[in-house]
Amino acid sequence: MATNIELRHLRYFIAVAEELHFGRAAERLNISQPPLSQQIQALEANINAQLLVRNNRNVNLTSAGHMFLQEAYQIIAQVDAAATKAARMQQGELGELSIGFTSTAPFMQKVALSLRQFRERYPDVAIHMHQMNTKQQIAPLQTGRIDIGIMRNTSLPDNLEYQLLFRERFMLVVYDDHPLLKYAKEGVDLEMLSDYPLVFFERDVGTALYDEIISLLTNVGVVPTISQEAGEAMTILGLVAAGLGISIITESFTRMKLDGVQYLPLANSPAYSEVWLVKHKNSNNSAAAERLTHLLISNIVDETRG
């Protein structure tokens, strides 16, 4: 059984087999001829097979040599391919990336742009998207099931860290012909909402927006009357369109075009919701994750400068 065969032995043999001349092969390999001959002899002894027939003028392959040459080509090609893949993975051009995201993340313009650019630039990175609300992303980030999370601001455990991507305003969504539409230009005061039923997120779904919006209303003395609850943004908008109430949403929701609803600004309200990029503090994040992070941050910075 062959042992201690090194890649250089295969490369030496391939050179001699292609040149059919030790002198030319040695020149091609940038070594002297005697060591090359010794290495080929050692290879033959190691595999217990004669690969070459030599005389003073000619070098030819034996039947075993022809077979070994094809196998050597395959081995070298596999090693080269593995090295290329490893380098590409190290550079973030190959591999897998798992991303947790809230239901509104695809409607955030810069998030959608960054994902599209990443897909175009690194088509060999397999992206696995997992829709989860903010609080549902915590455990998978801790266990490594997802690499990065795009979520709302929330309380994080000590082993997770975040980068602020951007802040977005709160907006009011009402159905067509709603009385509050007359305040479309100047904006709606939060205090006015005490007179209207709200369509709201389900509390047990655990969305960060629930806590943010309840706090927003409580701070101005409004005790919300929740007429309907839903777990998904599109469901909330559909219930509003059906006239079952109004709702407070964030600006990214307004990219959802739905007949029967209107979006209104809130007057005199400095409140906003933060969108975070969250990852594990101690995980060795892949280069692909770092590349996507860089794209997200760059696009947000470019938008701010613009």
Side-chain angles (χ1 to χ4, degrees):
M1 184 177 179
T3 59
N4 299 324
I5 296 178
E6 301 178 18
L7 287 179
R8 62 188 178 93
H9 294 142
L10 300 183
R11 297 188 191 277
Y12 289 170
F13 171 71
I14 289 172
V16 175
E18 289 180 346
E19 299 291 343
L20 294 178
H21 191 282
F22 274 90
R24 290 195 298 269
E27 184 176 353
R28 169 174 152 182
L29 294 166
N30 198 29
I31 62 175
S32 61
Q33 183 173 334
L36 176 59
S37 298
Q38 292 171 5
Q39 291 295 326
I40 297 299
Q41 290 172 3
L43 174 62
E44 290 176 317
N46 204 352
I47 65 175
N48 196 28
Q50 184 178 359
L51 302 176
L52 301 168
V53 177
R54 315 161 179 78
N55 58 39
N56 292 335
R57 295 185 177 182
N58 298 311
V59 176
N60 290 299
L61 290 168
T62 65
S63 296
H66 280 289
M67 182 279 297
F68 192 80
L69 177 61
Q70 298 309 311
E71 297 290 336
Y73 281 143
Q74 292 182 29
I75 292 170
I76 294 299
Q78 288 175 351
V79 171
D80 289 345
T84 299
K85 287 181 178 179
R88 294 187 66 204
M89 185 168 289
Q90 178 70 26
Q91 295 163 8
E93 299 174 357
L94 187 69
E96 296 187 3
L97 181 59
S98 292
I99 304 169
F101 68 100
T102 62
S103 60
T104 53
F107 296 95
M108 299 170 186
Q109 187 173 7
K110 292 305 178 181
V111 172
L113 173 63
S114 299
L115 289 171
R116 184 170 70 250
Q117 289 177 336
F118 187 88
R119 176 77 284 160
E120 292 170 351
R121 296 179 189 181
Y122 311 109
D124 294 327
V125 176
I127 299 177
H128 306 289
M129 303 293 292
H130 305 276
Q131 181 178 328
M132 308 173 183
N133 64 50
T134 292
K135 294 182 180 179
Q136 288 172 339
Q137 294 185 45
I138 302 299
L141 282 166
Q142 290 181 297
T143 61
R145 179 176 166 236
I146 58 177
D147 300 305
I148 59 177
I150 300 172
M151 64 174 69
R152 301 284 175 181
N153 47 295
T154 190
S155 176
L156 293 176
D158 292 340
N159 58 357
L160 297 184
E161 61 184 1
Y162 76 92
Q163 288 179 272
L164 173 64
L165 291 180
F166 54 89
R167 298 179 175 94
E168 55 176 357
R169 296 177 300 161
F170 285 101
M171 304 282 289
L172 186 68
V173 56
V174 302
Y175 49 84
D176 285 347
D177 301 324
H178 193 278
L180 290 175
L181 283 171
K182 63 185 176 182
Y183 300 103
K185 289 185 178 180
E186 63 267 37
V188 178
D189 287 324
L190 284 170
E191 290 86 347
M192 297 179 183
L193 303 187
S194 59
D195 298 328
Y196 301 100
L198 292 176
V199 178
F200 217 53
F201 291 100
E202 295 173 353
R203 184 64 184 91
D204 57 3
V205 170
T207 61
L209 280 179
Y210 182 100
D211 295 331
E212 287 187 299
I213 296 172
I214 289 294
S215 177
L216 185 67
L217 294 171
T218 302
N219 288 341
V220 295
V222 173
V223 178
T225 301
I226 299 175
S227 62
Q228 301 289 330
E229 291 185 334
E232 296 291 335
M234 283 302 296
T235 304
I236 290 175
L237 295 182
L239 293 174
V240 171
L244 298 180
I246 63 176
S247 190
I248 298 175
I249 46 88
T250 53
E251 196 167 8
S252 56
F253 282 72
T254 64
R255 300 190 72 202
M256 301 182 190
K257 304 305 179 184
L258 185 69
D259 290 341
V261 300
Q262 301 284 337
Y263 301 106
L264 305 176
L266 293 173
N268 304 317
S269 175
Y272 52 79
S273 177
E274 293 185 347
V275 177
W276 291 355
L277 182 81
V278 179
K279 60 182 180 180
H280 200 290
K281 285 182 180 178
N282 302 320
S283 66
N284 184 17
N285 265 20
S286 67
E290 294 302 326
R291 285 187 180 274
L292 178 58
T293 298
H294 177 73
L295 262 178
L296 283 162
I297 299 298
S298 296
N299 284 328
I300 300 306
V301 170
D302 288 345
E303 183 181 57
T304 303
R305 289 174 177 169

